[in-house]
């Protein structure tokens, strides 16, 4: 089947969100330099929009906003899409958590992307840092009020959270004025987090799942011990539907009402990752895939684990900040 557009799901504020997003985190090397050229990313985003992708996920810290903005501008200029057809998600970085700094940060992102508004602005982490990456004592609720300001001013149509744990989400819901529309968390068979997912969904939040391909792909040499691309259980399910194992994992998220955010810079994989809306998994197959759960994260910045708002479980030997900052 040819690639098509993903369905749209309703947010708790009445707006709609496309149920598949293109990931754009290209990674950094040990010097904090992007590992893939941004020009390639711009062309990837242009291809994605042509194929039917309608949701792009980025973040100030990925340093890809300018290329995404360029791609959207090109596609609007040549009539591929209208601005309002594309759902753009970006994220506030940890060094800009002060309530007034949120406005500066979003204005910077908008300028880079050549946009007057983003569709979704997420607080990337509950952890506030100073410019030198030492811990800042800003409460994420103050930061949340800054995001609320951005929504009120029309610079962000919807606002939400990323990498928050259940208690932190609950506190924002209880004490904030605007209920978060979205929670973005790591989501693949190694980390099912059904408690957090069910809780947030019961509160009306839409979940976006990052690193959706989990252990199927190589991750900077990190081994999760999870299923690989040729895992027999996944291959069997994939064969039944004439799909690939990556498509099965993405569909598993859709069945759980989670928006997958697969990242690829390869044309054939753009098509593959979008073609997940013409089949269903049975509840038994969803359960079989969920049974790979080992509560294993690939994104766990343990160098922040002594921060009062660190969201995850602490580990014995925290790793050093790969950016070499404090
Ligand atoms: P993904 O699970 O999307 O995996 C990406 C890797 O898989 C790339 O190496 C890509 O290679 C490869 N790949 C993509 N599609 C296929 C396929 N069909 N078959 C085989 N290999 C494939 O991981 P990410 O960690 O990048 O997560 C996705 C996105 O989620 C990020 O880009 C970012 O937007 C977001 N994210 C958010 C975080 C947060 O803190 N909120 C944290 C981490 C990610 P290639 O490009 O060569 O095809």
């Amino acid at each position: 089947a040819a690639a098509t557009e993903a369905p749209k799901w309703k947010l708790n504020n009445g707006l709609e969100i496309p149920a598949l997003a293109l990931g754009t985190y290209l990674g950094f090397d040990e010097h904090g330099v992007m590992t893939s050229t941004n020009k390639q990313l711009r062309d990837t985003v242009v291809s994605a929009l042509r194929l039917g992708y309608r949701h792009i996920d980025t973040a100030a810290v990925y340093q890809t906003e300018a290329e995404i903005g360029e791609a959207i501008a090109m596609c609007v200029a040549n009539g591929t899409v209208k601005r309002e057809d594309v759902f753009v998600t970006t994220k506030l970085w940890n060094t800009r958590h002060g309530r007034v700094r949120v406005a500066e940060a979003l204005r910077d992102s908008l300028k880079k992307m050549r946009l007057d508004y983003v569709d979704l602005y997420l607080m990337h982490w509950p952890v506030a840092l100073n410019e030198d990456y030492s811990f800042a004592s800003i409460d994420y609720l103050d930061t949340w009020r800054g995001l609320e300001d951005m929504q009120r001013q029309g610079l962000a149509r919807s606002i939400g959270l990323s990498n928050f744990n259940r208690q932190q989400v609950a506190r924002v819901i209880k004490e904030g004025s605007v209920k978060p529309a979205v929670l973005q968390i790591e989501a693949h068979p190694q980390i099912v987090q059904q408690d957090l997912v069910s809780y947030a969904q019961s509160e009306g939040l839409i979940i976006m799942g990052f690193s959706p391909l989990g252990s199927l792909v190589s991750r900077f040499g990190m081994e999760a011990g999870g299923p690989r691309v040729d895992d027999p259980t996944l291959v069997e399910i994939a064969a039944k539907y004439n799909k690939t194992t990556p498509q099965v994992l993405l569909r598993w998220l859709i069945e759980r009402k989670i928006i997958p955010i697969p990242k690829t810079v390869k044309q054939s994989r753009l098509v593959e990752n979008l073609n997940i809306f013409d089949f269903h998994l049975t509840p038994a197959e969803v359960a079989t895939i969920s049974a790979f759960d080992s509560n294993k994260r690939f994104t766990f910045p343990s160098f922040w684990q002594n921060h009062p708002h660190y969201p995850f479980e602490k580990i014995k030997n925290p790793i050093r900040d790969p950016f070499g900052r404090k």
Side-chain angles (χ1 to χ4, degrees):
T4 171
E5 283 187 28
K8 293 188 173 83
W9 291 345
K10 255 267 191 300
L11 295 169
N12 59 16
N13 57 19
L15 298 173
E16 291 187 320
I17 185 168
L20 179 84
L22 178 68
T24 66
Y25 175 60
L26 302 178
F28 300 92
D29 66 16
E30 69 272 25
H31 309 293
V33 176
M34 304 295 304
T35 53
S36 179
T37 69
N38 288 5
K39 164 85 164 53
Q40 184 186 9
L41 178 72
R42 184 200 70 189
D43 295 344
T44 300
V45 174
V46 168
S47 297
L49 292 171
R50 284 213 188 102
L51 287 167
Y53 280 79
R54 292 295 177 262
H55 184 173
I56 314 292
D57 180 79
T58 185
V61 77
Y62 301 168
Q63 300 179 48
T64 53
E65 291 174 317
E67 292 69 27
I68 291 164
E70 197 181 350
I72 294 172
M74 285 166 69
C75 288
V76 169
N78 70 21
T80 305
V81 288
K82 300 205 238 2
R83 164 66 185 98
E84 57 269 28
D85 298 332
V86 187
F87 192 101
V88 179
T89 297
T90 193
K91 312 184 192 88
L92 172 76
W93 188 237
N94 306 359
T95 52
R96 310 185 88 173
H97 270 214
R99 183 169 176 173
V100 291
R101 300 213 61 203
V102 176
E104 290 167 23
L106 180 52
R107 282 177 204 287
D108 285 353
S109 288
L110 289 171
K111 196 169 167 203
K112 285 192 181 137
M113 292 192 286
R114 315 173 188 192
L115 301 176
D116 342 308
Y117 68 92
V118 289
D119 295 276
L120 179 62
Y121 200 39
L122 301 176
M123 196 187 320
H124 207 146
W125 290 91
V127 169
L129 301 174
N130 296 310
E131 286 297 336
D132 67 355
Y133 274 48
S134 57
F135 296 165
S137 59
I138 302 169
D139 186 340
Y140 54 80
L141 256 170
D142 291 333
T143 313
W144 182 248
R145 299 199 197 287
L147 272 84
E148 291 176 344
D149 297 338
M150 297 302 92
Q151 187 179 36
R152 238 172 266 123
Q153 291 171 28
L155 299 182
R157 294 267 159 102
S158 300
I159 53 177
L161 308 171
S162 170
N163 295 304
F164 274 55
N165 66 31
R166 181 182 168 138
Q167 289 69 33
Q168 292 169 329
V169 174
R171 184 165 166 246
V172 174
I173 290 174
K174 184 155 175 277
E175 297 178 40
S177 313
V178 175
K179 196 177 210 184
V182 166
L183 172 65
Q184 185 175 125
I185 53 174
E186 184 164 346
H188 51 75
Q190 297 288 105
I191 181 141
V192 175
Q193 308 197 80
Q194 195 54 46
D195 280 4
L196 177 59
V197 168
S198 298
Y199 164 70
Q201 290 179 340
S202 75
E203 287 288 347
L205 279 67
I206 291 285
I207 311 277
M208 292 175 69
F210 71 70
S211 303
L213 300 174
S215 55
L216 258 53
V217 299
S218 85
R219 291 188 182 276
F220 314 109
M222 279 193 279
E223 265 303 328
R228 304 307 306 251
V229 73
D230 59 353
D231 178 87
T233 305
L234 297 179
V235 166
E236 193 184 325
I237 297 172
K240 175 175 164 192
Y241 298 107
N242 202 14
K243 292 288 175 182
T244 64
T245 53
Q247 288 173 320
V248 166
L249 288 204
L250 300 176
R251 185 68 213 186
W252 170 76
L253 291 176
I254 296 290
E255 304 296 357
R256 298 175 61 217
K257 192 91 202 267
I258 296 173
I259 298 180
I261 320 173
K263 171 265 170 184
T264 183
V265 292
K266 300 205 167 69
Q267 178 83 19
S268 62
R269 288 172 175 173
L270 280 176
V271 176
E272 179 182 351
N273 295 346
L274 186 56
N275 276 328
I276 58 166
F277 297 103
D278 55 357
F279 77 114
H280 287 276
L281 299 175
T282 66
E285 287 161 347
V286 170
T288 297
I289 297 168
S290 298
F292 283 109
D293 192 12
S294 58
N295 211 30
K296 161 81 194 183
R297 300 175 188 283
F298 291 104
T299 295
F300 56 106
S302 54
F303 38 88
W304 296 334
Q305 71 176 12
N306 292 322
H307 191 288
H309 300 308
Y310 184 71
F312 305 147
E313 53 290 335
K314 292 189 183 191
I315 59 171
K316 267 223 180 72
N317 297 305
I319 59 165
R320 280 186 30 220
D321 187 335
F323 301 110
R325 285 167 273 201
K326 271 179 266 168

